[in-house]
Amino acid sequence: MRRVVEGSHAVSHAVDLARVRVISAYPITPQTHIVERLAELVADGVLDARFIRVESEHSAMAAVIGAASAGVRSFTASSSHGLALMHEMLHWAAGARLPIVMAEVNRAMGPGWNIWADQTDSLSQRDTGWLQFYCEDVQDVIDTILIAYRVAERVSLPVMVVLDAFFLSHTYEPADLPEHADVDEFLPPWEPVEVLDPAEPRAFNQLASPEFYMEFRHKMQQAMDEALAAYPEIDRAFAARFGRTHPLVEHIPAEDGARAPLALVTTGTITSTARAALAELRDRGTPVDLVKLRALRPFPQDEIRRVLGPYGRVAVIDRNLSFGYGGIFAQEIRAALSSLADRPVVYPFVAGLGGRDVTPDTVRAVVDRALDDEPPGDILWAGLKE
Amino acid sequence: MPIDLPPSERMTSGHLACPGCGAAIAMRFVLKGLGDRVVMVIPACCWSIIAGPFPYTALKVPVLHTAFETGGAVASGIRAALDVKGDHETQVVTWAGDGGTFDIGLQSLSGAAERGEDILYVCYDNEAYMNTGVQGSGATPEGAWTTTTPTGSPKATRKKDIMQIMAAHAIPYAATASIAYPEDLVRKVQKAASIRGTKFLHIFATCPTGWKVPSEVSVGLARLAVQTRIFPLYEVEDGERYTINVEPKGYLVDAYFKAQGRFKHLTAEDLERIQERVDHGWSRLEALARIA
Ligand SMILES: Cc1ncc(C[n+]2csc(CCOP(=O)(O)OP(=O)(O)O)c2C)c(N)n1
Ligand SMILES: [Mg+2]
């Protein structure tokens, strides 16, 4: 069914479509619309689930860990300071191999208080063992929540579905909301391997000595690899049913069959801005190819090498910053490309921190600088005031 | 006098508790009081160790080990999951130490109690962070030595009154219990298990290692804590109806304090001051019990 939906409500309705049974969350701007709509759906009996109104994000994650450990499909949502407060439990969810899905609205970290878009919150959680998928638009949000459960339950790891504050969380767009019956076929009920069950008493998450711990971690890495390997097949199954595809690395050449001198890599809503800006540049005779990167973890290294390797130059726009280094996606991309003997020069731009607009002008400036003979450097600031 | 307890044993030998560990005794009694439909949550505490490392477990109930401050929240999640599966019978029991209850876990416990989660939260109180080597907690009594309240400046403030905090949540049932009174303890577990809503059990559990006492005095010392009125045994229903369960003999506190290495630096004046506090606490409790 085609409807005009807010990005946040798209999350809520996708959670309903996924037939989630336990939801626990704590409010934080700009995630609130997600949980308010979910609380309504549960209260109105539309969604047959329990909503646990906890006293903190740390407890929200702890509660869904408890629920998922008892074998029930679970969901939470957070943002920024809330996500940071959850940090310990993110490790716990992944280490316990629970297929929890969380919507995470990218918001800047304080101080000073800033509620606007910035990816540093989710990127700071890189090494917790969560998969992270970044969304471009409202349709992407709906589809990604559904895909996330399927991937999570396939490999027994949690997935963060990430959307930009306001630019996506509070934007209304027409989108297709699938039918329950179709989603049920794409996403059958979760069949957990082991659950808390008085009939079969086991201990979960207990002491793991050096004799065992490393193998547990090795298995988590294998699960990440499996997620990467299984993703195309899951994406195909999704496309077969719903007619849309969401590759982890989407290659959008300016001109079919030709390779532009520069590829621009973007994530999140900046991709939509870049699509428009690059189309205009192409029409004015400056072709630049676009690469939409969807995953931070598992990082699609082979795909990145295959797609970006042949370019002479690659520009990356990061709406995030690892202090003392630079943009985080650029860092990951440069690391992946480093194993190629012949590799592109990477121009790592940092832009749009704390919700500063990344406009078509910003994109054009980035392109100009990367095509110009500006030395690539380790960090290039875009849109910084003098 | 023979004691009358359910014969079931859901704790095995081979666990990793120190000799005389009150927390181990408490667990054994609590499991006797619960049926076999139990899921247990253990946040970080000595019991994270005692229960045994992967791939072993000393408990014949399913256990979810979890992070230190999450006892209330994780139990709430399990309760919700069991409920949506249609299982309203299985008891979800959190088993936490005093640090995990009085201090770092107080927030998630308070949240669960405020929501009225149908869980049984058991705090075994050994009056310090024992897992990490006897650091002071909010449950450490005034005057006690711990590694973070060393003899030169032992703990200057009083033990937090967790029972008042829980009573203030107006939960249907809160009770103190002691490893020295197993029948009273088991009865309270059974009573708690028969009530829907949030139940809280505060169990006094001697730690010979941390209190610097010989392991064989563990139970006797716990009895002395009750008989001196330092740790009275009582129940609070709906946050207001107080019932005292064991009438203490009212021994002077000296005997209790002098028996323990952690208090050996206390002076006669210290003990006098503490005696006054204990007397005052007792008359307050009696007054509350009279109102009910
Ligand atoms: C967030 C966090 N901080 C600190 C610790 C370290 N830690 C583990 S157990 C423990 C003490 C537990 O004390 P208590 O709850 O009284 O239980 P006991 O060890 O005395 O049985 C501490 C400080 C931890 N596991 N997690
Ligand atoms: Mg303790």
Side-chain angles (χ1 to χ4, degrees):
Chain A
M1 186 175 50
R2 225 166 152 71
R3 277 177 50 180
V4 175
V5 205
E6 193 200 40
S8 296
H9 293 161
V11 172
S12 324
H13 290 290
V15 167
D16 171 35
L17 287 170
R19 299 199 192 278
V20 165
R21 303 299 309 279
V22 172
I23 299 159
S24 184
Y26 189 81
I28 181 168
T29 303
Q31 152 266 34
T32 43
H33 290 186
I34 299 174
V35 293
E36 287 166 3
R37 175 57 59 90
L38 279 170
E40 277 167 28
L41 290 171
V42 173
D44 295 348
V46 176
L47 173 55
D48 180 18
R50 272 279 303 274
F51 185 95
I52 313 176
R53 179 185 49 78
V54 281
E55 84 307 324
S56 72
E57 288 86 355
H58 196 283
S59 286
M61 186 50 68
V64 293
I65 285 170
S69 301
V72 167
R73 195 174 277 164
S74 304
F75 175 82
T76 186
S78 195
S79 176
S80 180
H81 291 261
L83 183 70
L85 184 61
M86 278 181 185
H87 174 76
E88 179 193 25
M89 302 319 289
L90 297 186
H91 280 281
W92 207 276
R97 305 298 303 273
L98 299 171
I100 293 162
V101 171
M102 161 161 60
E104 141 59 25
V105 187
N106 270 143
R107 164 187 157 177
M109 294 292 301
W113 288 118
N114 177 308
I115 56 172
W116 291 280
D118 188 306
Q119 300 173 319
T120 309
D121 59 343
S122 56
L123 293 174
S124 301
Q125 307 303 332
R126 186 189 66 176
D127 301 333
T128 53
W130 282 63
L131 287 77
Q132 290 194 14
F133 297 148
Y134 287 75
C135 300
E136 179 184 350
D137 57 25
V138 171
Q139 188 68 62
D140 207 356
V141 167
I142 297 168
D143 297 353
T144 306
I145 294 278
L146 303 177
I147 291 171
Y149 275 107
R150 179 121 169 216
V151 177
E153 290 168 10
R154 165 79 170 259
V155 305
S156 300
L157 281 178
V159 180
M160 212 181 278
V161 175
V162 189
L163 55 154
D164 286 338
F166 301 105
F167 297 126
L168 188 44
S169 65
H170 288 55
T171 297
Y172 284 79
E173 285 177 354
D176 178 49
L177 270 178
E179 298 298 324
H180 258 301
D182 287 326
V183 175
D184 288 346
E185 291 202 16
F186 173 72
L187 187 65
W190 174 35
E191 281 171 21
V193 191
E194 279 175 353
V195 299
L196 291 166
D197 179 3
E200 262 191 83
R202 297 171 203 271
F204 293 76
N205 311 335
Q206 67 204 118
L207 278 181
S209 65
E211 197 187 340
F212 297 105
Y213 184 90
M214 196 156 158
E215 280 67 31
F216 290 158
R217 265 37 193 176
H218 179 242
K219 283 188 194 305
M220 287 169 72
Q221 175 59 31
Q222 285 179 317
M224 281 283 184
D225 293 343
E226 191 193 337
L228 210 49
Y231 190 88
E233 167 202 322
I234 291 173
D235 190 34
R236 274 196 298 278
F238 188 86
R241 189 159 296 278
F242 303 105
R244 292 179 295 272
T245 167
H246 298 284
L248 294 182
V249 180
E250 187 181 337
H251 190 199
I252 309 143
E255 286 156 347
D256 281 344
R259 187 184 314 287
L262 172 71
L264 175 68
V265 184
T266 56
T267 56
T269 56
I270 293 179
T271 305
S272 295
T273 310
R275 283 182 199 271
L278 296 191
E280 207 188 302
L281 278 176
R282 177 201 56 213
D283 295 345
R284 287 195 295 174
T286 310
V288 175
D289 296 348
L290 182 61
V291 173
K292 168 181 169 179
L293 176 57
R294 188 172 161 70
L296 173 72
R297 287 291 180 273
F299 195 68
Q301 307 194 61
D302 285 339
E303 205 44 18
I304 285 289
R305 288 188 200 108
R306 191 184 64 76
V307 171
L308 295 179
Y311 282 91
R313 296 175 187 211
V314 169
V316 182
I317 301 182
D318 268 301
R319 192 194 280 276
N320 60 72
L321 177 58
S322 172
F323 301 107
Y325 192 101
I328 296 166
F329 281 109
Q331 179 182 333
E332 300 280 325
I333 289 166
R334 291 209 289 184
L337 294 175
S338 70
S339 63
L340 298 178
D342 196 11
R343 53 183 178 264
V345 176
V346 176
Y347 293 79
F349 290 93
V350 169
L353 298 187
R356 178 159 300 177
D357 241 0
V358 175
T359 63
D361 277 342
T362 321
V363 175
R364 278 190 291 272
V366 160
V367 166
D368 284 348
R369 289 169 64 184
L371 286 174
D372 208 23
D373 282 326
E374 172 164 5
D378 288 320
I379 178 165
L380 303 169
W381 292 84
L384 188 68
K385 289 183 196 157
E386 297 290 299
Chain B
M1 190 177 63
I3 53 173
D4 184 18
L5 293 177
S8 61
E9 294 289 357
R10 292 193 180 79
M11 183 176 138
T12 69
S13 59
H15 61 74
L16 300 180
C18 304
C21 172
I25 299 170
M27 175 67 90
R28 181 167 167 246
F29 291 152
V30 166
L31 289 177
K32 281 178 176 292
L34 295 165
D36 51 11
R37 293 202 62 84
V38 173
V39 170
M40 188 168 272
V41 175
I42 305 187
C45 60
C46 280
W47 256 100
S48 312
I49 316 268
I50 298 171
F54 176 85
Y56 307 108
T57 178
L59 297 175
K60 296 182 185 168
V61 295
V63 176
L64 188 69
H65 292 270
T66 184
F68 198 9
E69 61 285 62
T70 61
V74 168
S76 304
I78 296 173
R79 176 77 273 156
L82 295 178
D83 284 348
V84 300
K85 292 204 283 190
D87 175 359
H88 307 289
E89 299 318 309
T90 296
Q91 296 281 336
V92 181
V93 179
T94 296
W95 179 268
D98 49 287
T101 303
F102 289 57
D103 296 341
I104 198 167
L106 184 59
Q107 175 175 321
S108 87
L109 167 59
S110 172
E114 183 272 330
R115 292 190 303 277
E117 300 286 353
D118 184 22
I119 59 174
L120 169 57
Y121 189 107
V122 183
C123 169
Y124 70 92
D125 183 2
N126 54 23
E127 303 195 317
Y129 298 123
M130 296 311 184
N131 167 303
T132 39
V134 202
Q135 293 84 22
S137 80
T140 301
E142 179 179 3
W145 161 92
T146 67
T147 56
T148 52
T149 56
T151 314
S153 76
K155 188 163 170 212
T157 54
R158 286 194 267 169
K159 182 183 176 94
K160 206 184 269 188
D161 188 342
I162 193 71
M163 285 293 287
Q164 274 200 68
I165 294 172
M166 295 318 295
H169 287 75
I171 55 174
Y173 188 68
T176 62
S178 167
I179 55 167
Y181 294 84
E183 285 161 315
D184 176 74
L185 191 160
V186 170
R187 178 187 68 78
K188 286 170 174 168
V189 172
Q190 288 167 338
K191 181 164 174 183
S194 73
I195 298 170
R196 292 258 182 236
T198 310
K199 289 82 62 178
F200 180 78
L201 221 51
H202 179 197
I203 305 182
F204 188 92
T206 317
C207 172
T209 313
W211 297 5
K212 300 186 173 179
V213 298
S215 57
E216 63 274 19
V217 309
S218 204
V219 172
L221 203 56
R223 183 171 300 113
L224 204 51
V226 173
Q227 293 299 344
T228 50
R229 299 169 173 158
I230 289 168
F231 193 90
L233 297 182
Y234 63 101
E235 295 163 294
V236 190
E237 282 160 287
D238 300 318
E240 15 191 76
R241 292 190 308 284
Y242 282 68
T243 311
I244 295 169
N245 309 112
V246 170
E247 199 53 48
K249 299 225 158 53
Y251 299 144
L252 293 181
V253 298
D254 296 40
Y256 176 78
F257 282 86
K258 293 209 164 115
Q260 302 177 54
R262 62 173 172 158
F263 294 120
K264 72 168 187 293
H265 48 274
L266 292 187
T267 63
E269 293 90 83
D270 291 333
L271 290 178
E272 239 170 75
R273 194 181 64 248
I274 290 169
Q275 181 70 60
E276 271 171 34
R277 283 220 214 291
V278 169
D279 291 346
H280 179 257
W282 175 251
S283 34
R284 187 179 166 280
L285 183 63
E286 280 190 317
L288 285 167
R290 270 197 302 275
I291 301 170

